[in-house]
Amino acid sequence: MRSRMKWSVRAAVVVMSCIPPVALAGPASAGPEQPEPAPACVTMYQSWRYTDAASDCSGTVGVRVVYQDGATGLCYALPPGAHRTVGEGYLGQHGHPDRLVLCEAS
């Protein structure tokens, strides 16, 4: 019984040592794509409570907030001349907003 148990453990170790090379042999993923920064015609304003954005662009622009901790907010459409709240302020769950990026507003 004891030799059978040793054999089972050894077999398991051999099988487990073969798994990582097989798992790593798959195609490499490209990683997440970095979103484009919002154009210069979009301005971000932050306060302790809200993050606002104003658009001076000639067309509608979709923007989202990226916070310093890497979290992202929802995507908002900003038509020309619009000013709206686009995220929480620096006392929110994610801290200070870092920047605005482009997104596909629906």
Side-chain angles (χ1 to χ4, degrees):
M1 180 75 161
R2 195 171 217 170
S3 74
R4 183 179 242 177
M5 197 174 205
K6 282 183 179 180
W7 182 86
S8 297
V9 170
R10 286 183 184 150
V13 168
V14 169
V15 169
M16 294 302 287
S17 68
C18 293
I19 289 175
V22 172
L24 295 175
S29 63
E33 194 174 306
Q34 292 293 334
E36 253 185 86
C41 57
V42 177
T43 308
M44 181 177 74
Y45 304 95
Q46 63 177 316
S47 70
W48 66 274
R49 190 166 183 186
Y50 300 111
T51 298
D52 295 338
S55 173
D56 206 15
C57 302
S58 59
T60 300
V61 179
V63 296
R64 79 174 66 231
V65 177
V66 177
Y67 296 92
Q68 288 179 346
D69 70 353
T72 57
L74 300 174
C75 184
Y76 292 95
L78 287 176
H83 182 267
R84 73 175 298 170
T85 299
V86 294
E88 58 188 31
Y90 55 81
L91 288 183
Q93 177 181 358
H94 302 290
H96 283 276
D98 185 48
R99 65 190 180 282
L100 293 174
V101 296
L102 291 176
C103 62
E104 293 281 333
S106 52

